[in-house]
Amino acid sequence: MLILLPPSEGKTAPSDGEPVDVGSLALPGLNKTRERLLDVLSRLKFPGALKYLDVGPGLLAEAQRNLTLREAPAAPAHEVYTGVLYEHLGLGAFADTDRVLIASALWGFVRPSDRIPAYRLSMGATLPRIPSLPALWRDPLRKAVPDEGLIVDMRSGAYTAAWKPKAATLVGVRAFENGKTISHMVKATRGDVARILLSGDPVETPEDVASAVRAAGHEVELSGSGRSWTVDVLK
């Protein structure tokens, strides 16, 4: 089983530590694209570059971190990524797992233990001479990311457009409250489901995923067939 997580918009900037060593990150086949993006981000001119990053003036200081990412302090990804999903998951307890990859517009994917700096870049950004980050990442990710076995995909939006498994059995996770989806609740539920799956015995099938979540006390509906399945958690 492999769990794909989204990044968080908010990140905790490390206060000290050695800078990122791109060569040490998981999936070294992505390093050429990582280096290209680091170069582009280091040359941005502010405040005009805010339009490329699709953020407002209130995030200027955070966005300007992109200028010095090669020299900035780095920390394990499980410490840098924050937000509702990560609060419910408690990824630090699984820091050394090889069953998790975290999607990133800058790094492609990283492991929880990979050391990275805080950065500001979403997959929907349009950088100079790079109008589409999903398109930029599509081929490198296709070549580098394992596409086999069972993949529980908790990404959304442009991150799924950057890479979609073709051969693996894919399980998506949704959450509903009174028949409606609520973004905050979906993130929390995905964090809970990831924690359940990482804490228990290995799962191999969509039915195993649904059974594990159900055994943890959640009401679950499983739908799908073949290589495409969805686990709906009902509140």
Side-chain angles (χ1 to χ4, degrees), residues 156-206:
S156 59
Y159 292 94
T160 59
W163 183 72
K164 296 179 181 179
K166 301 295 184 183
T169 298
L170 187 67
V171 179
V173 177
R174 303 186 299 183
F176 294 89
E177 185 173 23
N178 298 321
K180 298 180 180 179
T181 60
I182 302 172
S183 176
H184 183 89
M185 185 188 70
V186 171
K187 294 176 182 178
T189 299
R190 287 174 173 166
D192 290 336
V193 170
R195 186 187 69 253
I196 291 166
L197 296 178
L198 291 170
S199 300
D201 295 331
V203 299
E204 298 180 355
T205 68

Side-chain angles (χ1 to χ4, degrees), residues 48-132:
L50 292 175
K51 66 181 180 183
Y52 291 116
L53 301 174
D54 194 27
V55 298
L59 293 174
L60 176 61
E62 185 175 324
Q64 285 178 320
R65 293 175 184 158
N66 290 339
L67 299 175
T68 56
L69 291 177
R70 293 186 189 275
E71 298 82 34
H78 68 84
E79 297 179 9
V80 174
Y81 291 115
T82 57
V84 174
L85 186 152
Y86 287 90
E87 290 171 2
H88 280 251
L89 168 53
L91 190 54
F94 312 101
D96 295 326
T97 183
D98 60 359
R99 294 187 289 170
V100 171
L101 286 174
I102 305 169
S104 168
L106 175 55
W107 312 112
F109 279 107
V110 292
R111 298 284 188 195
S113 59
D114 282 343
R115 297 179 65 262
I116 60 172
Y119 62 95
R120 186 74 193 196
L121 184 67
S122 68
M123 197 64 85
T126 55
L127 297 176
R129 294 178 292 282
I130 305 177
S132 171

